[in-house]
Amino acid sequence: MKRNAPGQRGLLQKLILAPYSVWAALFIVVPLGFVAYYAFTDSNFNFTLDNITRFFTATSTVTEGEVTREVHTYLLIFVRSLKLAVISTFICLLMGYPMAYIMSRASSRTQKILVTLIMIPMWMNFLIRTYAWMTILQDTGIFNGLLGLVGLGPVHIIGTESAVVIGMVYDYFPYMILPIYSIMAKMDVKLIEAAKDLGCNSLGVLRRVIWPLSLPGVISGIIMVLIPSISTFYISQKLGNGKFYLIGDAIEGQYVANNLHFAAAIAFILMVILLVCMAFMQRYANKKAVVA
């Protein structure tokens, strides 16, 4: 059997990757280019930095009791969005990491069943899932109905930050658990056994073996949960009753008001911030991998 020469293999690989490269250029690079173009132009498409500076300098008046003060409008919205996104991501990681480990150590048949159960909610429309949580969390909903059966009073959840966090965790939880599970499932069990033979207790095995090896999956999971959480708008509108204006709501509001250039500027700034955070996280993961 003849083997392809190195040059032929390289050409073959390029041909195989060509459809994806075209797809990435058309639906990723080009749209991002348009976002950047709109962000740095005005309504007449002349170059300007006003859209960018407006994000950092725009203020509004807030009254708290008898105190009235000026706050940075969009910076405050971004901080609130980041706070809820970080809380949601942390909860997903806290629940997803042990579940991913349990799944990875289960039998092949059990793994398939558990992965299917995790994927089933994702087969439903995002809007339907959010409306379902509205029915569950409202004051006369299923959750408070169950509390009433055991003699506990109704708890007001809908329209609070807690409801928004619950919606984020539910909708984005699979994006945390699946990357971690995919890494742990490929982990060599002999490394864990060797660590135990060398005197490591369960905590030591977790800290010295399992955690460093699973870190790429953790980083991927954090990115896949944090990014949609920080930019979401529908969850905050429905589960938060529109009381919590997040950065996704700000972008949507400017788009609806036909302020496309400022909407693009907000999206561009958010994209840059997230890319910088991703770069730092990846650098941290690489350093931990080298140390391990």
Side-chain angles (χ1 to χ4, degrees):
M1 182 182 295
K2 294 183 178 180
R3 294 185 179 180
N4 293 328
Q8 291 178 331
R9 288 200 298 268
L11 179 60
L12 181 62
Q13 291 175 354
K14 291 179 180 179
L15 291 175
I16 294 174
L17 292 175
Y20 172 76
S21 301
V22 173
W23 183 90
L26 289 177
F27 298 104
I28 299 178
V29 177
V30 173
L32 292 179
F34 275 109
V35 170
Y37 176 68
Y38 270 78
F40 289 97
T41 55
D42 57 20
S43 57
N44 296 319
F45 294 97
N46 297 316
F47 176 80
T48 181
L49 294 175
D50 291 344
N51 298 318
I52 304 296
T53 56
R54 179 183 172 186
F55 177 86
F56 295 98
T57 59
T59 60
S60 58
T61 303
V62 175
T63 302
E64 298 177 353
E66 298 180 354
V67 180
T68 301
R69 58 192 179 93
E70 293 285 330
V71 297
H72 290 280
T73 307
Y74 296 102
L75 289 178
L76 181 64
I77 295 172
F78 174 75
V79 170
R80 183 189 300 126
S81 303
L82 181 62
K83 180 187 73 172
L84 296 181
V86 169
I87 293 173
S88 303
T89 304
F90 177 75
I91 294 174
C92 286
L93 178 60
L94 196 63
M95 296 191 307
Y97 195 86
M99 186 176 294
Y101 179 77
I102 293 171
M103 289 172 57
S104 66
R105 301 277 76 88
S107 64
S108 178
R109 182 173 180 272
T110 304
Q111 289 185 33
K112 293 177 181 178
I113 294 173
L114 292 175
V115 170
T116 302
L117 291 175
I118 292 172
M119 294 292 294
I120 284 176
M122 300 178 67
W123 298 349
M124 293 185 292
N125 186 275
F126 181 83
L127 306 183
I128 296 175
R129 285 180 281 159
T130 305
Y131 270 106
W133 274 105
M134 291 175 61
T135 304
I136 294 171
L137 297 178
Q138 63 185 352
D139 294 342
T140 57
I142 298 173
F143 179 74
N144 280 310
L146 294 175
L147 290 180
L149 294 177
V150 295
L152 299 177
V155 179
H156 180 67
I157 302 178
I158 197 77
T160 65
E161 289 187 350
S162 298
V164 177
V165 170
I166 290 172
M168 290 180 179
V169 170
Y170 175 77
D171 284 315
Y172 304 128
F173 180 68
Y175 299 117
M176 176 65 74
I177 191 172
L178 292 178
I180 300 175
Y181 160 74
S182 65
I183 294 293
M184 287 186 171
K186 302 173 185 176
M187 194 179 299
D188 192 349
V189 182
K190 294 179 181 179
L191 295 175
I192 299 175
E193 295 174 351
K196 291 181 179 179
D197 292 340
L198 292 173
C200 270
N201 55 21
S202 298
L203 184 60
V205 172
L206 174 63
R207 184 171 64 89
R208 296 177 179 273
V209 180
I210 299 176
W211 175 257
L213 292 177
S214 63
L215 197 56
V218 172
I219 298 298
S220 297
I222 290 175
I223 292 172
M224 293 176 69
V225 173
L226 183 65
I227 291 178
S229 296
I230 201 173
S231 58
T232 188
F233 62 92
Y234 193 80
I235 295 175
S236 59
Q237 290 177 1
K238 298 305 178 183
L239 298 183
N241 284 344
K243 297 178 181 178
F244 305 101
Y245 202 64
L246 304 184
I247 199 71
D249 298 307
I251 295 173
E252 185 206 24
Q254 295 299 323
Y255 179 81
V256 172
N258 204 30
N259 296 328
L260 303 182
H261 297 270
F262 186 52
I266 300 175
F268 180 80
I269 293 171
L270 180 61
M271 179 180 64
V272 170
I273 293 174
L274 292 176
L275 287 176
V276 171
C277 293
M278 289 169 57
F280 275 110
M281 292 174 64
Q282 193 62 46
R283 186 176 180 182
Y284 170 77
N286 293 336
K287 284 186 177 180
K288 294 294 288 185
V290 171
V291 172

